[in-house]
């Protein structure tokens, strides 16, 4: 499975993946998912929001145990973020069948669409729509860098966007959702454990900063006569690092758009996107307030018009303690005490937690690198993740 999926959407120059929502590469990933489902005799479904489902047992029976993740990527992302959870889900089902267990509940494997938000700027679109955390109106307003709307992209890929929206009936049939994911940090590596359990997802969000200045000639305009938004943007980037460091949080400007984007032209507009995360809401609010204050002060001083827009936000997610404790109990045995750790990365499991009981398993990442072609997990650890997921699914859905 891993070898079949690995070439899809891989950029030859960077070695990273470009599996953006509703593009040809992501459609190839969807075709791979459907083929895996059908080769195992599973009931395949595409729901109203474009999320894929593969069912062992009756999809309508209720109290289902669901596992899976996503197959899309960030720009030049790694091979493991998302796909490891989907591949491991199919492999765990294979392991359960090998064990000859009897299923007492329906089991589903899922691939949630547009989890990374690389194309339209909003993460977890598929799960947000299903959970009613993204309105149809807002979804229709989402546009990519070329101005293509989400409905237009879906339609071009052969899917009817008129069906999107909340899916409470489907979510009501889920008794538990378990997502396996490569760890996006080094906590497990530092504890020398291949597998961990998630405790919570930090509150996090994305903010767009629009710095409007005045376009002018780079070779003739005196420094003191300039209204250069790039300078104010740069000062804000430095301020974000300072505020995050002082608060023990995270803040990153990693995406920027410049107009007119000429080498010899002072920009008229610099648009930067901030990603910020913290262990608690109070700390995150403090960091964002500090960054905004610094940006506005620098903008005023330089004659720059500044507009700040919050594009997305996810509050802290505490995974259900009863389900988390059940996972720890099922995995105790020979593994010893399973590490329980928080994460700053968002996941579909976090979105769904408001609607269904959810939990997460992490597989060790020896370098801690993620969202990069260097992202890696050792084969032995991936196998350990499959066995752990199979043990959990057997405990929850089988006798």
């Amino acid at each position: 499975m891993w070898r079949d999926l690995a070439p899809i959407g891989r950029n030859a120059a960077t070695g990273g993946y470009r599996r953006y929502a509703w593009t040809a590469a992501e459609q190839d990933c969807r075709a791979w998912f459907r083929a895996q489902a059908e080769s195992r005799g599973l009931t395949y479904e595409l729901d109203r929001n474009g999320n894929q489902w593969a069912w062992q047992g009756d999809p309508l029976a209720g109290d289902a145990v669901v596992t899976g993740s996503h197959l899309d990527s960030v720009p030049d992302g790694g091979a493991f973020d998302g796909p490891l959870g989907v591949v491991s889900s199919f492999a765990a089902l294979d392991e359960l069948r090998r064990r000859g267990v009897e299923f007492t509940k329906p089991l589903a494997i899922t691939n949630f669409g547009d989890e990374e938000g690389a194309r339209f700027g909003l993460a977890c679109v598929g799960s947000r729509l299903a959970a009613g955390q993204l309105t149809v109106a807002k979804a229709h307003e989402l546009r990519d860098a070329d101005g293509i709307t989400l409905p237009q992209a879906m339609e071009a890929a052969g899917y009817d966007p008129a069906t999107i929206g909340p899916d409470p009936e489907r979510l009501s049939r889920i008794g538990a959702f378990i997502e396996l994911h490569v760890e996006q940090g080094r906590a497990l590596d530092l504890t020398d454990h291949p597998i961990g359990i998630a405790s919570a997802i930090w509150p996090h969000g994305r903010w767009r900063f629009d710095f409007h200045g005045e376009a002018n000639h780079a070779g003739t305009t005196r420094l003191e006569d300039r209204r250069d938004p790039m300078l104010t943007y740069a000062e804000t980037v430095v301020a974000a690092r300072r505020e995050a460091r002082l608060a023990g949080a995270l803040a990153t400007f990693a995406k920027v758009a410049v107009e007119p984007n000429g080498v010899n032209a002072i920009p008229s507009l610099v648009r930067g996107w901030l990603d910020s995360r913290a262990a608690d809401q109070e700390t995150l609010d403090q960091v964002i307030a500090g960054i905004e204050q610094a940006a506005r002060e620098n903008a005023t001083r330089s004659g720059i018009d500044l507009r700040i827009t919050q594009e997305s936000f996810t509050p802290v997610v505490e995974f259900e303690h009863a389900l988390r404790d059940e996972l720890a109990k099922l995995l105790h045995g020979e593994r010893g005490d399973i590490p329980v750790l928080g994460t700053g990365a968002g996941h579909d499991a976090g979105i769904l937690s408001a609607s269904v009981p959810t939990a997460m398993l992490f597989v060790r990442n020896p370098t801690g690198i993620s969202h990069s072609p260097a992202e890696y997990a050792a084969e032995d650890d991936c196998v350990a993740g499959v066995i752990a997921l199979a043990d959990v699914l057997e405990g929850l859905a089988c006798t």
Side-chain angles (χ1 to χ4, degrees):
M1 284 188 290
W2 199 254
R3 285 193 299 269
D4 290 343
L5 185 61
I8 300 175
R10 190 171 191 179
N11 182 270
T14 66
Y17 289 89
R18 300 179 181 180
R19 299 166 172 164
Y20 309 146
W22 306 109
T23 63
E26 197 247 6
Q27 291 299 96
D28 287 345
C29 288
R30 289 172 173 269
W32 172 91
F33 181 96
R34 181 168 186 170
Q36 294 299 323
E38 293 177 345
S39 71
R40 290 169 173 79
L42 304 177
T43 301
Y44 173 79
E45 288 184 319
L46 189 68
D47 72 18
R48 64 184 302 175
N49 296 303
N51 304 310
Q52 293 179 292
W53 300 77
W55 289 90
Q56 162 85 37
D58 182 2
L60 300 178
D63 199 25
V65 176
V66 180
T67 185
S69 192
H70 63 94
L71 293 173
D72 65 315
S73 76
V74 298
D76 289 323
F80 294 82
D81 179 358
L84 180 63
V86 179
V87 171
S88 297
S89 297
F90 282 116
L93 174 59
D94 294 343
E95 169 64 14
L96 292 178
R97 288 177 170 180
R98 186 194 66 79
R99 295 178 186 179
V101 300
E102 180 180 346
F103 290 88
T104 56
K105 298 178 181 179
L107 175 69
I109 298 170
T110 187
N111 166 38
F112 282 103
D114 200 3
E115 193 272 354
E116 295 290 6
R119 183 172 181 184
F120 298 102
L122 178 64
C124 300
V125 169
S127 55
R128 285 184 193 273
L129 280 168
Q133 296 181 26
L134 173 63
T135 66
V136 175
K138 289 293 185 183
H140 280 215
E141 293 174 0
L142 295 175
R143 294 178 180 271
D144 67 11
D146 296 320
I148 298 172
T149 66
L150 173 62
Q152 289 171 335
M154 296 175 73
E155 193 168 24
Y159 187 79
D160 183 5
T163 66
I164 65 173
D167 204 350
E169 189 277 330
R170 177 176 294 271
L171 296 186
S172 70
R173 293 189 265 119
I174 301 175
F177 176 68
I178 313 297
E179 182 172 4
L180 179 145
H181 205 280
V182 67
E183 189 198 356
Q184 295 168 288
R186 288 191 60 216
L188 286 175
D189 187 60
L190 295 174
T191 62
D192 198 31
H193 279 75
I195 305 298
I197 298 172
S199 59
I201 297 176
W202 288 8
H204 57 279
R206 298 178 182 181
W207 290 260
R208 190 184 76 237
F209 286 64
D210 295 338
F211 300 90
H212 293 266
E214 182 178 56
N216 217 326
H217 197 299
T220 61
T221 309
R222 298 190 312 160
L223 294 181
E224 53 267 36
D225 291 337
R226 299 183 180 199
R227 293 177 55 221
D228 185 353
M230 184 65 78
L231 181 62
T232 309
Y233 168 70
E235 291 170 331
T236 304
V237 173
V238 174
R241 176 60 179 265
R242 181 184 66 247
E243 295 296 326
R245 179 173 50 79
L246 291 174
L250 300 170
T252 309
F253 277 99
K255 180 179 178 181
V256 61
V258 182
E259 297 178 10
N261 205 27
V263 175
N264 60 347
I266 298 167
S268 60
L269 169 66
V270 174
R271 176 173 288 134
W273 283 264
L274 170 68
D275 178 297
S276 190
R277 307 162 190 244
D280 58 78
Q281 187 65 54
E282 182 179 0
T283 302
L284 182 59
D285 291 343
Q286 173 188 333
V287 170
I288 297 303
I291 296 171
E292 289 191 3
Q293 180 180 348
R296 295 191 188 283
E297 289 176 353
N298 291 327
T300 298
R301 184 168 57 250
S302 301
I304 302 299
D305 296 324
L306 172 61
R307 300 171 192 170
I308 301 174
T309 305
Q310 180 177 292
E311 291 195 334
S312 68
F313 181 75
T314 303
V316 63
V317 173
E318 278 279 349
F319 289 112
E320 186 181 82
H321 289 199
L323 183 57
R324 188 179 73 193
D325 293 344
E326 181 67 13
L327 262 64
K329 179 181 177 182
L330 291 169
L331 296 177
H332 188 63
E334 297 178 357
R335 297 178 180 86
D337 293 330
I338 304 295
V340 178
L341 52 138
T343 176
H347 301 280
D348 291 309
I351 300 298
L352 296 178
S353 67
S355 304
V356 301
T358 60
M360 291 191 69
L361 294 175
F362 291 127
V363 171
R364 176 166 50 191
N365 179 341
T367 66
I369 295 174
S370 187
H371 285 187
S372 159
E375 183 179 82
Y376 175 72
E379 184 173 330
D380 287 348
D381 288 350
C382 293
V383 171
V386 169
I387 299 302
L389 180 59
D391 289 346
V392 167
L393 297 178
E394 181 175 1
L396 297 176
C398 307
T399 56

